[in-house]
Amino acid sequence: MEELKDKYIRFDWAIKRLLRQKANFGVLEGFLTVFIGEPIKIIDILESEGNQQEADDKFNRVDIKAKNSKGDIIIVEIQNTSELYYLERVLYGVAKAITEHINLGNTYKEVKKVYSISILYFDLGKGSDYIYVGQNNFIGLHTQDQLIISTKEKDTIVRKSPAEIFPTYMLVRVNEFNKVAKSPLEEWVDYLKNGVINPDTKAPGLQEAREKLKYYSMSNAERHAYDEHVNAIMIQNDVLGNARLEGHAEGRAEGREEGRAEGREEGRAEGKTEEKNAIALKMRQAGLPIEQIMQFTGLSEENIKSL
């Protein structure tokens, strides 16, 4: 019974439907404080194109865009499945956030610092850590020292590093976390991966999460919608996984056959094409949107529709 009582809502559902409410800012502020490494006070939740509420939103990324007390823009995005050109899309989203929040006629002083936090439930490249942080710094080509920028603020010369101005990117590879949670950061990642919150947690935001994100605190209708959401993610991941495996097998078989007939190099190229086609066909047969199939395989809409 205690286990049932302490079942918690997934963070992707919470961030899309609950944490946009001012009464629940404490959970989000705690999360950001831990991941960014400084106290965060949210002033406003900004509208975002990615914050969709459509019937097929289970296939879309989940994100929230907030402004803190310093005027910084913070983007939090959760991605449940792999996507082609994911880093390019993250870069585009940050650039869009910067340009959206500077008015025509403003000086460049009004450009806002942007933090981009991506919570990833798929494998993104190779690496031994579960969190990677990217920042801009200018390093001397010959001296290897870091450039410090001097700016004038309120008649005072202020020295800044480029990292204080340029965006900060954080990639949280949830599936790579395999530790006993001891620090606040580890406790948060443990919750993101396993839905576990220690009853004695002191991690900022998780105390509030224990009270506000309980599964059995939702109404019957809310629980039903949530269960459908979780089920859709599981089915989607299963479909993608099976499509990938079957596509690899079919692609290798086609590649070997073509390789024997026309040469190894051409066979490899043909094999890759056939593999993508096979994966796309499996995904289409499972009813996944063409836009997502395009992102996953890199094939054109015309090619996918012709399968």
Side-chain angles (χ1 to χ4, degrees):
M1 184 62 67
E2 186 70 22
E3 182 179 350
L4 292 177
K5 186 179 72 173
D6 289 344
K7 181 178 179 180
Y8 298 104
I9 302 166
R10 282 174 57 104
F11 197 59
D12 58 350
W13 179 272
I15 208 171
K16 200 164 190 179
R17 288 168 172 77
L18 301 177
L19 302 187
R20 292 172 63 86
Q21 303 166 13
K22 197 161 189 175
N24 297 330
F25 277 6
V27 177
L28 190 56
E29 288 173 343
F31 166 82
L32 296 174
T33 293
V34 168
F35 277 79
I36 293 177
E38 61 180 69
I40 298 296
K41 180 70 175 176
I42 295 175
I43 299 300
D44 196 14
I45 298 295
L46 306 170
E47 289 308 315
S48 171
E49 292 177 0
N51 224 4
Q52 302 180 44
Q53 296 292 336
E54 304 299 326
D56 65 346
D57 68 358
K58 60 181 174 290
F59 295 115
N60 299 323
R61 66 188 184 278
V62 178
D63 62 15
I64 197 166
K65 187 162 60 171
K67 182 170 69 174
N68 70 7
S69 56
K70 296 196 301 184
D72 301 330
I73 306 299
I74 303 171
I75 301 170
V76 181
E77 177 174 302
I78 299 176
Q79 184 77 11
N80 286 302
T81 56
S82 60
E83 180 178 325
L84 201 66
Y85 307 125
Y86 181 77
L87 291 183
E88 288 84 347
R89 184 168 66 69
V90 169
L91 174 61
Y92 174 80
V94 168
K96 192 161 185 261
I98 293 172
T99 56
E100 281 178 344
H101 296 283
I102 181 170
N103 297 320
L104 189 64
N106 285 151
T107 67
Y108 291 122
K109 180 184 175 183
E110 304 304 319
V111 170
K112 302 300 182 185
K113 165 79 176 182
V114 175
Y115 294 89
S116 173
I117 303 175
S118 298
I119 301 171
L120 309 175
Y121 288 90
F122 66 94
D123 293 331
L124 181 70
K126 294 181 179 179
S128 57
D129 209 328
Y130 61 93
I131 296 181
Y132 286 85
V133 179
Q135 291 181 312
N136 287 76
N137 282 300
F138 293 95
I139 309 298
L141 180 63
H142 303 100
T143 61
Q144 300 300 306
D145 66 319
Q146 291 194 21
L147 179 67
I148 301 298
I149 308 298
S150 297
T151 61
K152 190 174 182 179
E153 294 183 7
K154 298 178 181 179
D155 297 323
T156 303
I157 298 298
V158 178
R159 295 168 66 83
K160 293 182 177 179
S161 71
E164 295 177 76
I165 302 169
F166 284 82
T168 294
Y169 302 89
M170 182 174 292
L171 304 175
V172 185
R173 304 165 74 224
V174 176
N175 295 337
E176 300 302 314
F177 178 77
N178 293 297
K179 300 177 67 176
V180 176
K182 295 180 180 179
S183 70
L185 182 63
E186 291 168 348
E187 287 189 72
W188 260 105
V189 179
D190 194 23
Y191 161 60
L192 294 176
K193 181 178 181 179
N194 302 310
V196 173
I197 303 178
N198 189 323
D200 301 320
T201 184
K202 297 296 188 296
L206 282 183
Q207 305 102 316
E208 292 90 340
R210 277 183 55 80
E211 298 302 319
K212 297 178 182 291
L213 303 186
K214 287 183 177 178
Y215 175 79
Y216 286 99
S217 294
M218 293 192 292
S219 67
N220 290 335
E222 289 171 332
R223 281 202 301 272
H224 175 73
Y226 173 76
D227 290 341
E228 288 294 309
H229 167 75
V230 173
N231 189 48
I233 290 174
M234 293 175 64
I235 292 173
Q236 181 188 21
N237 287 335
D238 187 51
V239 167
L240 291 174
N242 287 337
R244 186 185 291 110
L245 289 174
E246 294 180 27
H248 284 330
E250 293 180 26
R252 282 196 299 269
E254 291 286 343
R256 284 195 296 270
E257 185 64 32
E258 291 292 331
R260 283 192 292 268
E262 301 177 21
R264 181 172 300 175
E265 189 63 34
E266 185 177 345
R268 279 200 294 267
E270 290 290 335
K272 289 180 181 178
T273 300
E274 291 298 330
E275 180 179 327
K276 288 183 179 180
N277 288 340
I279 292 174
L281 181 60
K282 297 293 182 184
M283 294 173 73
R284 195 171 183 200
Q285 290 172 342
L288 272 67
I290 286 181
E291 180 181 345
Q292 186 183 25
I293 300 174
M294 291 169 60
Q295 293 174 338
F296 189 83
T297 62
L299 296 175
S300 69
E301 181 176 358
E302 183 180 358
N303 284 347
I304 294 169
K305 287 183 175 179
S306 68
L307 295 174

